[in-house]
Amino acid sequence: MSNLKTGGGKRIFMQEVCPRDGLQNEAVFVPTAEKIALVNRLSQCGFAKVEVTSFTSPKAIPALSDAEEVMKGIRRTEGVEYSVLVPNMRGAERAMACQIDEANLVMSASESHNFTNLRMGREASFNQLSQVIAEIKGSEVAINVSLSAAFGCPFEGDVPENSVMNFIDRFASLGVRGITLCDTTGMAYPTQVASLCQKVKKYFPELETTLHFHDTRGLALANTLAALSEGIDRFDASTGGLGGCPYAPGASGNVCTEDMVHMLTLMGYETQVDLPRLMGISRGLASLIGHEVHGSVVRAGKRDDLHVMPESLEQNFNACRQAREQV
Ligand code: COA
Ligand code: ZN
């Protein structure tokens, strides 16, 4: 039987997005030094990747207007890849001056969400990102593309699987290393996730594929199981379940990293994430952002954090047990 000490089975790559997806949606501006300290602490937890910040317009995302200082201020840990979000050429130029390991380019699979979030249509975004890819390719910086609203759009509803596959195909032809399927507003459901993941694995087996779930409707861990069943081994998640896109109505927290790691480890997967250390970081988030966070495992304790039986009942219980054993 699996337990929280071993894991030890198939490797799952955990990618922490709290410093970017988490903080972009907070009302308070977390001071730069605190952001750097958060990334440095997360770097000690065993993540495969940390998304540090985003090089978006400071008018669009004021909470992350200190992207350069944060990226240049962090202490890098060997084995951790440092990624940043990039929406356009200007963002790419800024990011490339900051020693990033990965540029995470972003556009939406839905026309109206793309327009709301990035102020342009999908084709305009695709053209800009194509130029960014041409510029970065050949450097040491890896390229990932995050497709927002891949499982549903808050304005249009269903986003056809075909149009998601089509954008994956076009980006794959440009030679990107990876693609992230983002459930930006928690509209995905498990059978839908399994269907899309199966197609992506079948037609693009060489692409590094990440699933990015939000828990807006309580389905994020169920969706994770569906993705795992199709062989997905990379997940974005956010400590404390922080996160959300400010330009998607109703968007709320990402799947909570410590809850996901807790589940995966119990199931025997190997995440390499130090769960107690991560839970400590999660407990500290409230003082950083000024409100409680949503993680279940931090609230309830891990499955193996057992409780002492009330003393008044323990004597009776032991007596009953002894009597049973004597029979
Ligand atoms: N970094 C810094 N500044 C940028 C920038 C970038 N990546 N891209 C544009 N700007 C600046 C321009 O220089 C211009 O500045 P000015 O007003 O002082 O002249 C201003 O922003 C507007 O530029 P424009 O090209 O017209 O951009 P826009 O207003 O159409 O916005 C985006 C387009 C993509 C820059 C903006 O919508 C954005 O950053 N969106 C990100 C949304 C996001 O991160 N959502 C959450 C993640 S999914
Ligand atoms: Zn997100």
Side-chain angles (χ1 to χ4, degrees), residues 121-169:
R122 285 176 299 180
E123 287 308 318
S125 268
F126 183 80
N127 288 338
Q128 286 223 17
L129 297 184
S130 306
Q131 287 170 37
V132 170
I133 291 166
E135 197 66 28
I136 296 182
K137 238 176 118 182
S139 76
E140 302 225 309
V141 172
I143 305 171
N144 187 74
V145 176
S146 278
L147 285 176
S148 307
F151 297 96
C153 164
F155 308 106
E156 293 173 25
D158 288 337
V159 172
E161 227 180 30
N162 277 350
S163 55
V164 180
M165 291 298 289
N166 190 257
F167 276 113
I168 297 174
D169 190 22

Short mmCIF file of all heavy atoms in Angstrom, two decimals, residues 121-169:
data_model
loop_
_atom_site.label_atom_id
_atom_site.label_comp_id
_atom_site.label_asym_id
_atom_site.label_seq_id
_atom_site.Cartn_x
_atom_site.Cartn_y
_atom_site.Cartn_z
N GLY A 121 -7.12 39.56 -31.68
CA GLY A 121 -7.70 38.28 -32.09
C GLY A 121 -6.65 37.18 -32.05
O GLY A 121 -5.46 37.44 -31.90
N ARG A 122 -7.13 35.92 -32.21
CA ARG A 122 -6.21 34.80 -32.12
C ARG A 122 -5.14 34.82 -33.22
O ARG A 122 -3.98 34.49 -32.98
CB ARG A 122 -6.97 33.47 -32.19
CG ARG A 122 -7.71 33.13 -30.93
CD ARG A 122 -8.52 31.87 -31.09
NE ARG A 122 -9.53 32.03 -32.14
CZ ARG A 122 -10.39 31.08 -32.50
NH1 ARG A 122 -10.36 29.90 -31.92
NH2 ARG A 122 -11.28 31.30 -33.44
N GLU A 123 -5.54 35.21 -34.45
CA GLU A 123 -4.55 35.20 -35.53
C GLU A 123 -3.46 36.23 -35.28
O GLU A 123 -2.29 35.98 -35.56
CB GLU A 123 -5.22 35.42 -36.89
CG GLU A 123 -6.00 34.21 -37.40
CD GLU A 123 -5.17 32.91 -37.38
OE1 GLU A 123 -3.99 32.93 -37.77
OE2 GLU A 123 -5.72 31.87 -36.96
N ALA A 124 -3.86 37.40 -34.74
CA ALA A 124 -2.84 38.42 -34.41
C ALA A 124 -1.89 37.88 -33.35
O ALA A 124 -0.67 38.06 -33.42
CB ALA A 124 -3.52 39.70 -33.95
N SER A 125 -2.45 37.20 -32.33
CA SER A 125 -1.60 36.60 -31.30
C SER A 125 -0.67 35.55 -31.91
O SER A 125 0.53 35.52 -31.62
CB SER A 125 -2.45 35.93 -30.22
OG SER A 125 -2.72 36.80 -29.16
N PHE A 126 -1.26 34.69 -32.76
CA PHE A 126 -0.45 33.63 -33.35
C PHE A 126 0.72 34.24 -34.14
O PHE A 126 1.86 33.77 -34.06
CB PHE A 126 -1.29 32.71 -34.25
CG PHE A 126 -0.49 31.58 -34.81
CD1 PHE A 126 -0.21 30.45 -34.05
CD2 PHE A 126 0.05 31.66 -36.09
CE1 PHE A 126 0.57 29.42 -34.55
CE2 PHE A 126 0.84 30.63 -36.60
CZ PHE A 126 1.10 29.50 -35.83
N ASN A 127 0.42 35.30 -34.89
CA ASN A 127 1.49 35.94 -35.68
C ASN A 127 2.58 36.52 -34.79
O ASN A 127 3.76 36.34 -35.04
CB ASN A 127 0.91 37.05 -36.58
CG ASN A 127 0.12 36.43 -37.72
OD1 ASN A 127 0.33 35.27 -38.07
ND2 ASN A 127 -0.82 37.19 -38.28
N GLN A 128 2.16 37.21 -33.72
CA GLN A 128 3.15 37.77 -32.79
C GLN A 128 3.99 36.65 -32.16
O GLN A 128 5.21 36.75 -32.08
CB GLN A 128 2.45 38.53 -31.66
CG GLN A 128 1.90 39.86 -32.09
CD GLN A 128 2.18 40.95 -31.04
OE1 GLN A 128 3.03 40.79 -30.16
NE2 GLN A 128 1.46 42.04 -31.16
N LEU A 129 3.30 35.58 -31.72
CA LEU A 129 4.03 34.51 -31.05
C LEU A 129 4.95 33.77 -32.04
O LEU A 129 6.03 33.31 -31.67
CB LEU A 129 3.07 33.54 -30.35
CG LEU A 129 2.23 34.19 -29.22
CD1 LEU A 129 1.37 33.13 -28.51
CD2 LEU A 129 3.09 34.92 -28.19
N SER A 130 4.53 33.69 -33.31
CA SER A 130 5.40 33.08 -34.32
C SER A 130 6.70 33.87 -34.45
O SER A 130 7.79 33.30 -34.56
CB SER A 130 4.73 33.06 -35.70
OG SER A 130 3.49 32.44 -35.62
N GLN A 131 6.56 35.20 -34.42
CA GLN A 131 7.77 36.04 -34.48
C GLN A 131 8.64 35.83 -33.25
O GLN A 131 9.87 35.76 -33.35
CB GLN A 131 7.39 37.52 -34.55
CG GLN A 131 6.82 37.96 -35.89
CD GLN A 131 6.25 39.38 -35.78
OE1 GLN A 131 6.80 40.22 -35.10
NE2 GLN A 131 5.14 39.62 -36.45
N VAL A 132 7.99 35.72 -32.10
CA VAL A 132 8.75 35.48 -30.86
C VAL A 132 9.51 34.17 -30.96
O VAL A 132 10.70 34.08 -30.62
CB VAL A 132 7.80 35.47 -29.63
CG1 VAL A 132 8.54 34.99 -28.38
CG2 VAL A 132 7.18 36.84 -29.40
N ILE A 133 8.82 33.14 -31.46
CA ILE A 133 9.45 31.81 -31.57
C ILE A 133 10.66 31.89 -32.52
O ILE A 133 11.74 31.38 -32.22
CB ILE A 133 8.42 30.76 -32.06
CG1 ILE A 133 7.38 30.52 -30.95
CG2 ILE A 133 9.11 29.44 -32.45
CD1 ILE A 133 6.13 29.78 -31.40
N ALA A 134 10.47 32.59 -33.64
CA ALA A 134 11.58 32.73 -34.60
C ALA A 134 12.78 33.42 -33.94
O ALA A 134 13.94 33.06 -34.19
CB ALA A 134 11.11 33.50 -35.82
N GLU A 135 12.49 34.36 -33.09
CA GLU A 135 13.53 35.14 -32.42
C GLU A 135 14.27 34.30 -31.37
O GLU A 135 15.49 34.38 -31.24
CB GLU A 135 12.83 36.34 -31.73
CG GLU A 135 13.68 37.48 -31.31
CD GLU A 135 14.31 38.24 -32.47
OE1 GLU A 135 13.73 38.24 -33.59
OE2 GLU A 135 15.41 38.79 -32.26
N ILE A 136 13.50 33.50 -30.61
CA ILE A 136 14.11 32.76 -29.49
C ILE A 136 14.75 31.44 -29.93
O ILE A 136 15.74 31.00 -29.36
CB ILE A 136 13.03 32.45 -28.42
CG1 ILE A 136 12.48 33.75 -27.82
CG2 ILE A 136 13.61 31.58 -27.30
CD1 ILE A 136 11.44 33.53 -26.73
N LYS A 137 14.15 30.82 -30.96
CA LYS A 137 14.64 29.50 -31.41
C LYS A 137 16.11 29.60 -31.74
O LYS A 137 16.57 30.57 -32.34
CB LYS A 137 13.86 29.06 -32.65
CG LYS A 137 13.16 27.74 -32.45
CD LYS A 137 12.34 27.39 -33.64
CE LYS A 137 12.86 26.11 -34.24
NZ LYS A 137 12.10 25.76 -35.44
N GLY A 138 16.84 28.57 -31.35
CA GLY A 138 18.28 28.63 -31.61
C GLY A 138 19.04 29.16 -30.41
O GLY A 138 20.25 28.99 -30.31
N SER A 139 18.34 29.82 -29.47
CA SER A 139 18.99 30.21 -28.22
C SER A 139 18.85 29.04 -27.24
O SER A 139 18.28 28.01 -27.58
CB SER A 139 18.32 31.46 -27.64
OG SER A 139 17.09 31.10 -27.05
N GLU A 140 19.35 29.23 -26.02
CA GLU A 140 19.25 28.14 -25.04
C GLU A 140 17.89 28.11 -24.35
O GLU A 140 17.60 27.21 -23.57
CB GLU A 140 20.34 28.31 -23.99
CG GLU A 140 21.72 28.32 -24.57
CD GLU A 140 22.69 27.48 -23.80
OE1 GLU A 140 22.75 27.68 -22.57
OE2 GLU A 140 23.36 26.64 -24.42
N VAL A 141 17.08 29.13 -24.65
CA VAL A 141 15.80 29.25 -23.94
C VAL A 141 14.76 28.34 -24.59
O VAL A 141 14.55 28.37 -25.81
CB VAL A 141 15.33 30.72 -23.96
CG1 VAL A 141 13.92 30.86 -23.41
CG2 VAL A 141 16.31 31.59 -23.18
N ALA A 142 14.12 27.50 -23.75
CA ALA A 142 13.09 26.59 -24.26
C ALA A 142 11.78 27.37 -24.47
O ALA A 142 11.56 28.41 -23.85
CB ALA A 142 12.87 25.47 -23.26
N ILE A 143 10.94 26.84 -25.37
CA ILE A 143 9.68 27.53 -25.66
C ILE A 143 8.50 26.60 -25.37
O ILE A 143 8.41 25.49 -25.88
CB ILE A 143 9.62 27.97 -27.14
CG1 ILE A 143 10.84 28.82 -27.49
CG2 ILE A 143 8.32 28.73 -27.42
CD1 ILE A 143 10.98 29.10 -28.98
N ASN A 144 7.60 27.14 -24.54
CA ASN A 144 6.34 26.44 -24.27
C ASN A 144 5.21 27.38 -24.68
O ASN A 144 5.36 28.60 -24.63
CB ASN A 144 6.24 26.14 -22.76
CG ASN A 144 5.05 25.27 -22.42
OD1 ASN A 144 5.05 24.07 -22.68
ND2 ASN A 144 4.01 25.86 -21.85
N VAL A 145 4.10 26.81 -25.11
CA VAL A 145 2.93 27.65 -25.41
C VAL A 145 1.77 27.22 -24.52
O VAL A 145 1.39 26.05 -24.51
CB VAL A 145 2.50 27.55 -26.89
CG1 VAL A 145 1.23 28.35 -27.13
CG2 VAL A 145 3.61 28.05 -27.81
N SER A 146 1.23 28.18 -23.76
CA SER A 146 0.05 27.91 -22.95
C SER A 146 -1.19 28.34 -23.72
O SER A 146 -1.31 29.51 -24.10
CB SER A 146 0.12 28.69 -21.63
OG SER A 146 0.91 27.99 -20.70
N LEU A 147 -2.07 27.39 -23.95
CA LEU A 147 -3.33 27.71 -24.64
C LEU A 147 -4.42 27.88 -23.59
O LEU A 147 -4.89 26.91 -22.98
CB LEU A 147 -3.71 26.59 -25.60
CG LEU A 147 -2.92 26.49 -26.91
CD1 LEU A 147 -3.35 25.26 -27.70
CD2 LEU A 147 -3.10 27.76 -27.75
N SER A 148 -4.80 29.15 -23.34
CA SER A 148 -5.84 29.43 -22.34
C SER A 148 -7.20 28.96 -22.86
O SER A 148 -7.40 28.85 -24.08
CB SER A 148 -5.93 30.93 -22.07
OG SER A 148 -4.67 31.44 -21.73
N ALA A 149 -8.12 28.77 -21.95
CA ALA A 149 -9.51 28.42 -22.27
C ALA A 149 -9.61 27.22 -23.21
O ALA A 149 -10.50 27.14 -24.06
CB ALA A 149 -10.23 29.63 -22.87
N ALA A 150 -8.70 26.26 -23.05
CA ALA A 150 -8.68 25.10 -23.95
C ALA A 150 -9.84 24.14 -23.71
O ALA A 150 -10.12 23.28 -24.55
CB ALA A 150 -7.35 24.36 -23.81
N PHE A 151 -10.49 24.27 -22.55
CA PHE A 151 -11.60 23.36 -22.24
C PHE A 151 -12.92 24.09 -22.12
O PHE A 151 -13.91 23.53 -21.66
CB PHE A 151 -11.30 22.61 -20.94
CG PHE A 151 -10.09 21.73 -21.02
CD1 PHE A 151 -8.85 22.16 -20.59
CD2 PHE A 151 -10.19 20.44 -21.56
CE1 PHE A 151 -7.73 21.35 -20.66
CE2 PHE A 151 -9.09 19.62 -21.65
CZ PHE A 151 -7.84 20.07 -21.20
N GLY A 152 -12.94 25.35 -22.50
CA GLY A 152 -14.18 26.12 -22.39
C GLY A 152 -13.85 27.58 -22.16
O GLY A 152 -12.82 27.91 -21.58
N CYS A 153 -14.74 28.43 -22.67
CA CYS A 153 -14.50 29.87 -22.61
C CYS A 153 -15.64 30.53 -21.82
O CYS A 153 -16.81 30.19 -22.04
CB CYS A 153 -14.46 30.41 -24.04
SG CYS A 153 -14.62 32.20 -24.13
N PRO A 154 -15.31 31.45 -20.93
CA PRO A 154 -16.38 32.07 -20.13
C PRO A 154 -17.34 32.93 -20.96
O PRO A 154 -18.42 33.26 -20.49
CB PRO A 154 -15.61 32.94 -19.13
CG PRO A 154 -14.26 33.15 -19.74
CD PRO A 154 -13.98 31.95 -20.57
N PHE A 155 -16.96 33.26 -22.19
CA PHE A 155 -17.84 34.06 -23.05
C PHE A 155 -18.55 33.21 -24.10
O PHE A 155 -19.71 33.44 -24.43
CB PHE A 155 -17.03 35.16 -23.77
CG PHE A 155 -16.20 35.98 -22.83
CD1 PHE A 155 -14.82 35.81 -22.77
CD2 PHE A 155 -16.79 36.90 -21.97
CE1 PHE A 155 -14.05 36.55 -21.89
CE2 PHE A 155 -16.02 37.65 -21.09
CZ PHE A 155 -14.65 37.47 -21.05
N GLU A 156 -17.83 32.21 -24.65
CA GLU A 156 -18.38 31.44 -25.77
C GLU A 156 -18.90 30.08 -25.37
O GLU A 156 -19.60 29.43 -26.15
CB GLU A 156 -17.28 31.23 -26.84
CG GLU A 156 -16.85 32.49 -27.52
CD GLU A 156 -15.65 32.26 -28.45
OE1 GLU A 156 -15.43 31.13 -28.93
OE2 GLU A 156 -14.92 33.24 -28.68
N GLY A 157 -18.52 29.61 -24.19
CA GLY A 157 -18.89 28.24 -23.80
C GLY A 157 -17.91 27.25 -24.40
O GLY A 157 -16.70 27.40 -24.26
N ASP A 158 -18.45 26.24 -25.10
CA ASP A 158 -17.58 25.18 -25.63
C ASP A 158 -16.52 25.73 -26.57
O ASP A 158 -16.82 26.60 -27.40
CB ASP A 158 -18.42 24.15 -26.40
CG ASP A 158 -19.26 23.31 -25.46
OD1 ASP A 158 -18.90 23.21 -24.27
OD2 ASP A 158 -20.28 22.77 -25.92
N VAL A 159 -15.34 25.20 -26.45
CA VAL A 159 -14.28 25.50 -27.42
C VAL A 159 -14.02 24.17 -28.16
O VAL A 159 -13.65 23.18 -27.53
CB VAL A 159 -12.99 25.98 -26.70
CG1 VAL A 159 -11.83 26.10 -27.67
CG2 VAL A 159 -13.26 27.30 -25.99
N PRO A 160 -14.27 24.15 -29.48
CA PRO A 160 -14.17 22.87 -30.19
C PRO A 160 -12.78 22.25 -30.07
O PRO A 160 -11.77 22.95 -30.19
CB PRO A 160 -14.46 23.24 -31.65
CG PRO A 160 -15.13 24.58 -31.60
CD PRO A 160 -14.65 25.26 -30.35
N GLU A 161 -12.77 20.94 -29.81
CA GLU A 161 -11.51 20.20 -29.70
C GLU A 161 -10.63 20.43 -30.93
O GLU A 161 -9.42 20.58 -30.83
CB GLU A 161 -11.85 18.72 -29.58
CG GLU A 161 -11.12 18.00 -28.50
CD GLU A 161 -11.49 16.53 -28.45
OE1 GLU A 161 -11.83 15.91 -29.49
OE2 GLU A 161 -11.44 15.99 -27.34
N ASN A 162 -11.30 20.49 -32.10
CA ASN A 162 -10.56 20.66 -33.35
C ASN A 162 -9.77 21.95 -33.39
O ASN A 162 -8.67 21.99 -33.94
CB ASN A 162 -11.53 20.68 -34.55
CG ASN A 162 -11.87 19.28 -34.96
OD1 ASN A 162 -11.24 18.34 -34.47
ND2 ASN A 162 -12.86 19.14 -35.84
N SER A 163 -10.36 23.03 -32.84
CA SER A 163 -9.60 24.28 -32.93
C SER A 163 -8.41 24.26 -31.96
O SER A 163 -7.36 24.84 -32.25
CB SER A 163 -10.48 25.53 -32.77
OG SER A 163 -11.20 25.48 -31.59
N VAL A 164 -8.56 23.56 -30.83
CA VAL A 164 -7.41 23.41 -29.92
C VAL A 164 -6.32 22.59 -30.62
O VAL A 164 -5.14 22.98 -30.66
CB VAL A 164 -7.83 22.72 -28.60
CG1 VAL A 164 -6.63 22.57 -27.66
CG2 VAL A 164 -8.93 23.51 -27.90
N MET A 165 -6.73 21.47 -31.23
CA MET A 165 -5.76 20.60 -31.92
C MET A 165 -5.06 21.35 -33.05
O MET A 165 -3.86 21.17 -33.29
CB MET A 165 -6.47 19.35 -32.48
CG MET A 165 -6.96 18.39 -31.41
SD MET A 165 -5.63 17.70 -30.39
CE MET A 165 -4.83 16.59 -31.55
N ASN A 166 -5.83 22.21 -33.71
CA ASN A 166 -5.28 22.97 -34.82
C ASN A 166 -4.16 23.92 -34.36
O ASN A 166 -3.10 24.01 -34.98
CB ASN A 166 -6.44 23.73 -35.47
CG ASN A 166 -6.02 24.35 -36.76
OD1 ASN A 166 -5.79 25.55 -36.81
ND2 ASN A 166 -5.86 23.54 -37.80
N PHE A 167 -4.41 24.62 -33.24
CA PHE A 167 -3.36 25.51 -32.73
C PHE A 167 -2.14 24.71 -32.25
O PHE A 167 -1.00 25.14 -32.46
CB PHE A 167 -3.89 26.43 -31.62
CG PHE A 167 -4.57 27.66 -32.17
CD1 PHE A 167 -5.93 27.85 -32.02
CD2 PHE A 167 -3.83 28.61 -32.88
CE1 PHE A 167 -6.56 28.97 -32.55
CE2 PHE A 167 -4.46 29.73 -33.42
CZ PHE A 167 -5.81 29.91 -33.26
N ILE A 168 -2.40 23.56 -31.62
CA ILE A 168 -1.26 22.73 -31.19
C ILE A 168 -0.43 22.34 -32.41
O ILE A 168 0.81 22.44 -32.42
CB ILE A 168 -1.75 21.46 -30.45
CG1 ILE A 168 -2.49 21.84 -29.17
CG2 ILE A 168 -0.57 20.54 -30.13
CD1 ILE A 168 -3.14 20.67 -28.44
N ASP A 169 -1.12 21.95 -33.48
CA ASP A 169 -0.44 21.54 -34.71
C ASP A 169 0.41 22.69 -35.26
O ASP A 169 1.58 22.50 -35.64
CB ASP A 169 -1.53 21.12 -35.72
CG ASP A 169 -0.93 20.46 -36.94
OD1 ASP A 169 0.21 19.95 -36.83
OD2 ASP A 169 -1.57 20.46 -38.00
#
